[in-house]
Amino acid sequence: MAIVGKKFPSVSIDAMSEMGDDLKINVFEEAVSKQSKVLLFWYPKDFTFVCPTELHAFQAALPDFEKRNTIVIGASCDTNEVHFAWLNTAKDNGGIEGVTYPILADTHRHLANILGIVDQDVAYDEEGNESFSGSNVTFRATYLIDETGKVFHESVNDMPVGRNVKEYLRLIDAYAHVQKHGEVCPANWEEGKSAMNANRTGVAEYLSAN
């Protein structure tokens, strides 16, 4: 279910800080109350394989997100206790020690199911009995949310495919350019490159110059 252009669901979810504090985080309210953009990324499970590489990659880029007034939040369906154990496991042992942004613990899959990102199928036999298939964890879904709580980007990767963190920085730059200048950003746009006016003259001028 695509929610680009819509408000992000206003739901409070358990979360864990790097200091071991149990938190409640409402992603929508984080954006609106702090007048910040939010990058929320979901990963399948703690103590797995691709996942720690992504959490460390977002941590390494955290100063770049902060320069763009963007809050980074991770999320999975693991418990706070499992998050804290992983946060206290060294990087060279497969852990995420050193990660400082909060991680949602959507153990009831409330928000994940609202977003439709859980790997689960439900089937019914002729007698109406339910059967479930799938891993019951989330795909690698990513949401970019603006200062009004509106989603301006969402993407979902299958579990074996890690994300490119630099692309989210580019998308934030592009959206901020649109917000500031009212221009639209063409294919492969990066900060410092030409954008264009959203009309026939604008696209003609851009294509003739590029």
Side-chain angles (χ1 to χ4, degrees):
M1 178 181 69
I3 61 170
V4 168
K6 301 176 183 177
K7 298 294 186 182
F8 193 81
S10 182
V11 178
S12 294
I13 302 294
D14 289 335
M16 172 59 58
S17 77
E18 86 277 11
M19 299 301 293
D21 298 318
D22 291 322
L23 309 172
K24 281 278 190 183
I25 292 180
N26 183 314
V27 175
F28 174 83
E29 290 181 357
E30 285 289 298
V32 174
S33 66
K34 296 180 179 177
Q35 282 296 284
S36 298
K37 293 179 176 67
V38 175
L39 182 146
L40 172 66
F41 73 97
W42 294 80
Y43 61 91
K45 292 176 72 174
D46 294 0
F47 291 99
T48 52
F49 317 111
V50 176
C51 297
T53 69
E54 292 192 310
L55 273 81
H56 285 298
F58 279 110
Q59 178 65 35
L62 201 57
D64 296 315
F65 286 106
E66 291 171 347
K67 288 177 186 175
R68 292 162 172 82
N69 190 34
T70 301
I71 298 167
V72 174
I73 301 172
S76 80
C77 297
D78 294 282
T79 66
N80 268 353
E81 291 78 13
V82 175
H83 285 339
F84 189 57
W86 205 25
L87 283 161
N88 281 279
T89 301
K91 181 178 180 180
D92 61 8
N93 197 28
I96 58 167
E97 187 177 36
V99 166
T100 60
Y101 49 81
I103 305 173
L104 300 186
D106 190 17
T107 54
H108 296 291
R109 291 156 176 77
H110 181 43
L111 180 55
N113 279 318
I114 291 173
L115 297 171
I117 57 172
V118 179
D119 175 30
Q120 183 185 88
D121 290 315
V122 182
Y124 298 88
D125 63 20
E126 294 178 355
E127 298 177 352
N129 297 311
E130 291 181 330
S131 62
F132 297 89
S133 60
S135 64
N136 202 33
V137 298
T138 64
F139 294 105
R140 299 187 192 280
T142 313
Y143 298 87
L144 291 174
I145 302 149
D146 73 11
E147 298 86 349
T148 70
K150 186 182 82 172
V151 177
F152 66 91
H153 169 84
E154 67 177 311
S155 59
V156 182
N157 290 8
D158 200 357
M159 295 174 195
V161 182
R163 281 162 278 218
N164 183 335
V165 173
K166 290 181 180 179
E167 173 61 4
Y168 300 108
L169 294 168
R170 188 193 74 83
L171 288 166
I172 292 167
D173 286 342
Y175 191 76
H177 184 93
V178 173
Q179 289 176 306
K180 182 177 181 179
H181 300 285
E183 297 178 312
V184 294
C185 296
N188 298 323
W189 183 92
E190 294 176 342
E191 185 66 48
K193 290 187 176 181
S194 299
M196 60 186 183
N197 293 317
N199 53 44
R200 292 177 63 86
T201 302
V203 68
E205 290 176 349
Y206 179 84
L207 293 174
S208 66
N210 295 275

